[in-house]
Amino acid sequence: MNLINILLSFGIGLLCGIIPFSYLLGRLRGVDLKQTGSGNIGATNLGRSLGITFFIIGFLLDAIKGFLPVLIAKSNNLIPIISGAGAILGHIFNPFFKFKGGKGVATTIGVLLGIVPLQFLISIVVWLIVYLSTYIVSLASISIAIALPITTFVLNKSSVSEKIFILIISILIIFAHRTNIKRLMNKSEPRTIFWRKK
């Protein structure tokens, strides 16, 4: 693991991660996500503003920008974990929006699909169970962040570096949801049913 490979791996991830797909989709429909809903540029706020179809498209695009740099790194003998970290950090701390980006859940899922596919499948199931039980997107996303390190250590099929990576990313996701956690504690976090007619 040399410095050039580290920088290249991180740079590839970062370049993918800073592309604000959901924000751009909103702008195409005349909606500025920074000025509507939660003010977040991620897929959830896009879905709240424009419905389930746009949520799905935004979510998939944000996941792809996590998966793609991992795939590129694997194909070029670079470091997939560092590429994944670059993508997630670029999404959460987006320089185009004064380092205030999305929550990083969809991008993290894309990274997991590329690095640890079993944890990816488990995280999707956890998200769906919690969301369909509560219709609170932030709670479902936080549940993923809690489930990821637990399943990683229980399954014990990942390398030490992958375990550390997943633990750090899980902490970052929870940190990105700090305002949501306050609302959850105050019982003021909104429920979001994407398929409900506007």
Side-chain angles (χ1 to χ4, degrees):
M1 187 183 294
N2 59 58
L3 182 59
I4 293 176
N5 279 0
I6 291 172
L7 292 175
L8 279 174
S9 300
F10 187 81
I12 290 168
L14 187 66
L15 286 173
C16 290
I18 62 176
I19 303 171
F21 284 119
S22 294
Y23 178 81
L24 294 173
L25 284 170
R27 294 298 290 179
L28 286 174
R29 292 300 300 268
V31 174
D32 184 350
L33 293 183
K34 296 298 291 183
Q35 304 299 324
T36 187
S38 64
N40 190 272
I41 65 166
T44 299
N45 199 29
L46 179 69
R48 288 195 186 109
S49 302
L50 296 174
I52 187 170
T53 300
F54 279 87
F55 167 74
I56 292 171
I57 295 171
F59 190 93
L60 288 174
L61 288 172
D62 283 345
I64 287 170
K65 73 182 187 182
F67 177 75
L68 186 59
V70 169
L71 189 64
I72 292 171
K74 283 185 173 181
S75 301
N76 292 277
N77 296 317
L78 296 174
I79 310 164
I81 287 178
I82 293 179
S83 288
I88 294 166
L89 290 172
H91 181 79
I92 294 175
F93 304 106
N94 197 308
F96 294 132
F97 300 94
K98 299 179 180 180
F99 299 96
K100 294 180 180 178
K103 301 299 172 83
V105 176
T107 306
T108 298
I109 286 174
V111 172
L112 293 176
L113 176 59
I115 297 175
V116 282
L118 182 56
Q119 282 89 325
F120 158 77
L121 292 173
I122 293 172
S123 67
I124 288 293
V125 171
V126 168
W127 192 94
L128 286 171
I129 290 172
V130 176
Y131 173 69
L132 293 174
S133 299
T134 64
Y135 295 118
I136 301 176
V137 178
S138 61
L139 185 59
S141 300
I142 292 166
S143 298
I144 284 181
I146 294 171
L148 278 175
I150 293 174
T151 55
T152 299
F153 281 88
V154 169
L155 292 172
N156 201 31
K157 292 183 177 181
S158 303
S159 66
V160 173
S161 59
E162 287 171 346
K163 289 176 181 176
I164 293 171
F165 168 76
I166 288 172
L167 181 60
I168 292 171
I169 293 304
S170 296
I171 292 170
L172 268 176
I173 291 174
I174 292 173
F175 175 77
H177 282 84
R178 59 196 181 280
T179 55
N180 303 88
I181 292 171
K182 290 179 181 178
R183 289 195 295 269
L184 285 166
M185 293 176 69
N186 294 330
K187 297 182 179 180
S188 59
E189 183 74 344
R191 298 177 190 274
T192 303
I193 303 176
F194 294 114
W195 50 86
R196 178 177 288 168
K197 291 183 179 180
K198 302 286 178 185

